[in-house]
């Protein structure tokens, strides 16, 4: 991955592109994104083991941090959105939020600097899991026919427009929801990282170009630094939004009427 190397080929600046996201295997068929995904699992497991190892009535800093992260998802998302019976979905939502969060933040971690979710396969798999869960919940609650009925024929809609509404509602639940979940996360991580590459590589090119252009490199690096903080905010928000929408879809599947 080009990141902190010269972005010049002769006298021409080579802008970053989608090619910078296609990484060669490190060994065998194992690529950097695959290693980062596995590393994130180890980091998350270690974090919760360490923060819960010496649990006390009055929490220390580590315990407070772990409990705060857990309660953010448990109370701020699962309980408030799903309501009664939310407890059974908390483990998945916590795992989902922390997994996305860590893999997103890899994009601004020095020497790693690659958001795993900028590879479409990872958001697609997470969206597929969410799709399976909320559809399973809906079918289990009302049966296949009942679930399809409440999904495709929302109450309060005149029956004469059901031929138009029904296929749209079906497509929204079966196709649009998982598709938008995956694409929203992927597109934000891809675009954000590409933008950081533009300013960092552009600044490096200007610096080595010399003359007046070298003076402009500082401006490019400054924007890159500012954008890094902005990207960190986006990375956290995207993890939160993905988890929140998952909870909303589960809540909708549990509701008596959609």
């Amino acid at each position: 991955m080009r990141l902190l190397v010269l972005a010049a080929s002769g006298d021409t600046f080579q802008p970053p592109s989608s090619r910078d996201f296609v990484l060669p295997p490190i060994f065998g068929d194992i690529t950097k994104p695959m290693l980062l995904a596995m590393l994130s699992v180890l980091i998350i497991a270690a974090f919760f083991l360490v923060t819960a190892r010496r649990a006390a009535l009055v929490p220390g800093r580590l315990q407070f941090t772990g409990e705060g992260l857990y309660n953010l998802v448990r109370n701020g998302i699962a309980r408030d959105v799903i309501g009664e019976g939310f407890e059974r979905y908390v483990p998945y939502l916590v795992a989902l939020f922390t997994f996305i969060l860590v893999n997103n933040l890899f994009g601004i971690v020095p020497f790693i600097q690659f958001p795993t979710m900028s590879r479409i396969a990872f958001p697609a798999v997470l969206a597929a899991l969410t799709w399976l869960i909320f559809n399973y919940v809906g079918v289990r609650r009302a049966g296949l026919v009942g679930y399809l009925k409440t999904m495709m024929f929302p109450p309060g809609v005149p029956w004469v427009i059901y031929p138009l509404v029904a296929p749209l509602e079906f497509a929204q639940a079966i196709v649009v929801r998982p598709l938008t979940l995956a694409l929203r996360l992927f597109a934000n991580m891809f675009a954000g990282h590409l933008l950081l590459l533009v300013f960092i590589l552009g600044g490096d090119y200007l610096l080595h170009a010399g003359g007046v252009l070298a003076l402009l490199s500082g401006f490019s690096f400054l924007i890159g630094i500012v954008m890094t903080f902005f990207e960190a905010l986006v990375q956290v928000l995207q993890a939160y939004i993905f988890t929140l929408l998952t909870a909303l879809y589960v809540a909708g599947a549990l509701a008596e009427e959609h």
Side-chain angles (χ1 to χ4, degrees):
M1 176 87 184
R2 303 176 309 165
L3 191 55
L4 295 177
V5 296
L6 280 177
S9 175
D11 295 326
T12 304
F13 174 62
Q14 300 295 323
S17 67
S18 59
R19 296 188 301 272
D20 292 279
F21 294 81
V22 181
L23 308 180
I26 297 176
F27 55 88
D29 294 326
I30 305 299
T31 62
K32 182 176 180 178
M34 296 170 65
L35 287 177
L36 292 180
M38 292 185 284
L39 176 62
S40 69
V41 173
L42 296 178
I43 291 175
I44 294 167
F47 171 77
F48 282 112
L49 286 174
V50 170
T51 55
R53 183 177 57 182
R54 297 181 180 178
L57 186 61
V58 179
R61 292 182 179 179
L62 284 176
Q63 184 181 343
F64 180 80
T65 302
E67 290 180 354
L69 181 61
Y70 177 82
N71 287 328
L72 170 66
V73 180
R74 182 188 185 277
N75 300 331
I77 298 179
R79 186 184 65 185
D80 293 348
V81 174
I82 298 176
E84 183 179 356
F86 73 93
E87 295 88 354
R88 69 180 62 183
Y89 306 103
V90 171
Y92 174 68
L93 294 176
V94 172
L96 183 66
F97 176 75
T98 52
F99 181 76
I100 296 175
L101 178 62
V102 172
N103 281 281
N104 284 354
L105 291 175
F106 278 154
I108 59 173
V109 174
F111 305 110
I112 295 180
Q113 295 171 303
F114 189 87
T116 314
M117 297 300 157
S118 64
R119 298 292 293 168
I120 186 61
F122 292 96
V125 169
L126 296 180
L129 286 175
T130 291
W131 182 87
L132 288 173
I133 289 173
F134 76 74
N135 280 295
Y136 170 78
V137 168
V139 172
R140 184 179 180 183
R141 180 194 64 81
L144 179 59
V145 175
Y147 178 57
L148 291 175
K149 180 180 177 181
T150 56
M151 176 203 303
M152 299 172 63
F153 305 101
V157 177
W159 66 269
V160 293
I161 64 171
Y162 274 156
L164 175 63
V165 172
L168 292 177
E169 291 292 331
F170 180 82
Q172 177 186 0
I174 303 302
V175 179
V176 176
R177 285 180 178 178
L179 186 63
T180 54
L181 268 179
L183 290 180
R184 181 185 296 108
L185 178 57
F186 159 73
N188 276 277
M189 294 303 99
F190 182 91
H193 193 61
L194 189 64
L195 192 60
L196 290 180
L197 286 176
V198 168
F199 287 109
I200 293 174
L201 292 174
D204 187 68
Y205 174 81
L206 293 174
L207 181 63
H208 289 83
V212 178
L213 293 179
L215 298 177
L216 297 176
S217 65
F219 181 71
S220 181
F221 285 131
L222 178 61
I223 296 179
I225 294 172
V226 172
M227 291 303 301
T228 298
F229 286 101
F230 179 76
E231 181 64 12
L233 176 61
V234 172
Q235 290 165 347
V236 175
L237 284 176
Q238 286 304 312
Y240 181 84
I241 290 171
F242 196 106
T243 309
L244 177 64
L245 289 175
T246 296
L248 284 170
Y249 296 156
V250 171
L254 290 171
E256 292 297 325
E257 293 182 345
H258 296 275

